[in-house]
Amino acid sequence: MSTSNTPDDGDALMVYVSAPPDVAAALASTLVAERFAACVSVLPGVRSVYRWNGAVQQDEESLLLIKTGADRFEALRQRIVDLHPYELPEVVAVRWQHAHEPYRQWVLDSTRP
């Protein structure tokens, strides 16, 4: 694993994306089917509170926990932006510091085009 803040191609990532509940499952399925993600967990019933256009907003959302390889992040990010209904979708990636190695390898293998 790289010691820098930039993940290397062998790293796995958890990517957080919030989405409207009515599109979350379809977005998750597309990302897995197109091999941008090995797995997407969809957590329903998330209430997001945020500032947008100068006002505090609240919305019911689903949170997608997307497991992918670092080498797939830019393509994944672009695909999410292309498919997502929000003007400014949340796409936040966190490099795995520790993981069950066979699972990490499965994630990497499952996201190879």
Side-chain angles (χ1 to χ4, degrees):
M1 182 185 326
S2 171
T3 57
S4 73
N5 288 331
T6 304
D8 67 33
D9 288 350
D11 284 341
L13 303 175
M14 178 77 71
V15 181
Y16 297 84
V17 174
S18 57
D22 61 333
V23 301
L27 180 58
S29 293
T30 298
L31 295 175
V32 172
E34 295 178 0
R35 299 182 80 89
F36 292 104
C39 174
V40 180
S41 300
V42 180
L43 285 64
V46 174
R47 182 147 197 77
S48 294
V49 180
Y50 57 96
R51 182 174 303 280
W52 186 252
N53 293 326
V56 175
Q57 308 286 328
Q58 294 189 35
D59 285 306
E60 292 296 323
E61 296 183 299
S62 292
L63 180 63
L64 282 64
L65 303 179
I66 302 167
K67 285 69 98 181
T68 193
D71 62 332
R72 297 292 285 150
F73 177 74
E74 282 305 320
L76 168 69
R77 183 196 58 75
Q78 187 58 57
R79 190 64 173 133
I80 292 167
V81 169
D82 290 345
L83 295 172
H84 206 288
Y86 291 170
E87 179 181 344
L88 181 63
E90 169 189 14
V91 183
V92 177
V94 178
R95 180 177 52 183
W96 297 4
Q97 295 298 315
H98 305 281
H100 179 55
E101 180 56 28
Y103 182 80
R104 186 192 73 80
Q105 191 59 53
W106 172 78
V107 167
L108 298 177
D109 291 346
S110 296
T111 55
R112 299 294 177 251

